[in-house]
Amino acid sequence: MDSQTSQSSQASPSPHTFQVDLRGLVDLLSHHLYSSPKVYLRELLQNAVDAITARRAEQPDAPAKVRIRAEGGSLRVEDSGVGLTESDVHTLLATIGRSSKRAEGLQIGLQEVRSDFLGQFGIGLLACFVVAERIRVVSRSARTPGAAPVEWTARDDGSYTVRTLAPEAHPEPGTTVELVARPGAAEWLDPAKVLELARDFGSLLPYDVRVGDEAVTDLPAPWDRPYPSPATRRVALARHCHDLFGFTPLDSIALDVPLAGIRGVAYVLPSAVSPATRATHRVHLKGMLLTERAEQLLPEWAFFVRCVLDTDSLRPTASRESLYEDETLAAVREALGERIRSWLTGLAAGDPERLAGFLSVHHLGVKSLARHDREMLRTMLPWLPFETSDGRLSLEEFARRHPVVHFTRTVEEFRQVAPIASAQGVGVVNGGYTYDSDLVEALPSVRPGTVVAELDADTVTAHLDAVDPAVELALSGFLAAARAKLDPLGCDVVLRAFHPLSVPALHLDDRAARHEQARAEAEAGADDLWAGILGSMRGSAPRARLVLNHLNPLIRRISSIGDPELIGTATESLYGQALLMAQRPLRPADSALLNRAFIGLLEWATNGEEGR
């Protein structure tokens, strides 16, 4: 039996209690959980507001006020809330990790009130140690008539004392919190800083909050106020946007989602931004500012607006400085995106002038939306601008002009062919910009009967006039010399007649030709093994081609040259000039060719002068 008892004792050692280093925990909070010490005031405000809400749930006519006073490196916050008993103080203030939701001495009403706030994480007043070395709380319960006021005093070394006070020490129900600044943190308790923080965090709180004699709350919110006219509302909201975000918006969009408990406004940026820019928004949770940097609030395509709103349905993270990603946030994101869609649709139907002004700046955002929303593409079709061979047009207008809507996938390809295609009556859309090729390809789905085709080198060449066979035969020697010169570069030479006459030569290729060219270059520089592998990948893609314009006077003069070496130099010059005109990036071989052709022409010119 003794042996069994001994074994049992070894198997079940006595439990130990965690020892908490409060200073280390405060350092963890300040450097890793919170982005700034300023959150201490938000926690004080939140505690006060929660306490008032809890008292009013039982006493609807109870006073609802918060008074804040700062001076001499100390801060005092008084509220008319529900207050605490001595038992509540031990339960809520002195046990790290114990949340009000799990507290055993409180009514269910207080639990429910606090369940959406920081108390559920059990951090409470601990956040105040980020700026304070000492916290003193004096509280008198409104739930327990005749209960004496209780004082809780704590220091940042982890020690605290609790004692009851005489009734006159706190004659009315409620709580008073006093902070004494830590060394180096006095700036956070400066009266001007406290007023600034209180207004930033608490401007939408539903109760009377003051710092000294200065009012903090400013209700109703600007988007909820009555205005004499829509124009007056726009002006007032524009002023609010400028004060809040520092810019004057192009327009404002009401964000009203009653089912999600959301009220607010989206402000349209006055200048274009990159789609990769993560938009940040201001979110208030039941009146208290939660974050100024909410990134996941709107769909990614809505990068052209900045929002400010108040909600009672979204969940905060533990730091209360961002939103918790869950199904509710996903549903809110979709609902807010729908509000912005409706605003765009309304502009298209009733205010085309404002829509045109908006699209001149933010067409990229609308194109991003229209890629996935066919109804939006159909609505915006007459308005969205595209670069085309006919100038800047909407796809609707362009499709009316051309039976086949050709497009290129890169800006370089468009620059190669646009002048030539336009002269030949071929309509081309530049699909090289973000989202444009996707939208052109989607055009038949919202405009039945429209024919869309990607433009390649063969299509362009087919639209150029062929030269008389007798003329081409007479120039066969010239063409053979030119082709021999460009063959090592993977480029063919063809002769055509086309407009404009001022273009002597046109360089044409497509993605397949460039892929084949890159493969051939890699094969040439590879060892035997890789050369064999790359050789097996050789495709039947057409090579790039240099199209010479027989109508151009310079081409006619060059084609009459009898010297094969001079023909080669002239061909290299035409090739290099065509690449530059197309604004194509030059490979090392292309740069070497340009230098060689330039030097060759100089030598020919100087030798010619000496001969004369």
Side-chain angles (χ1 to χ4, degrees), residues 37-44 75 127-128 131 179 188-189 194:
K38 69 180 182 181
V39 298
Y40 86 91
L41 190 62
R42 182 192 64 199
E43 299 309 320
L44 290 175
L75 182 76
C128 294
V131 298
L179 307 184
W188 294 104
L189 273 63
V194 169

Side-chain angles (χ1 to χ4, degrees), residues 150-168:
V150 59
E151 177 193 68
W152 177 83
T153 304
R155 295 185 175 275
D156 61 0
D157 62 2
S159 64
Y160 73 92
T161 60
V162 178
R163 62 175 182 151
T164 57
L165 304 177
E168 58 269 18

Side-chain angles (χ1 to χ4, degrees), residues 5 17 25 29 31 81 93 141 193 195 363 387 423 432 455 497 517 525 564 572-573 590:
T5 302
T17 302
L25 190 55
L29 288 174
H31 288 93
L93 302 186
S141 175
K193 172 61 73 173
L195 177 59
H363 56 272
E387 184 179 3
L455 189 68
Q517 189 177 63
E572 287 181 330
S573 300
D590 298 329

Side-chain angles (χ1 to χ4, degrees), residues 514-539:
R514 288 193 293 275
H515 176 76
E516 174 61 20
Q517 189 177 63
R519 186 210 58 77
E521 291 175 356
E523 180 183 357
D527 56 29
D528 292 342
L529 174 61
W530 281 107
I533 294 173
L534 291 169
S536 67
M537 296 170 60
R538 184 180 295 111

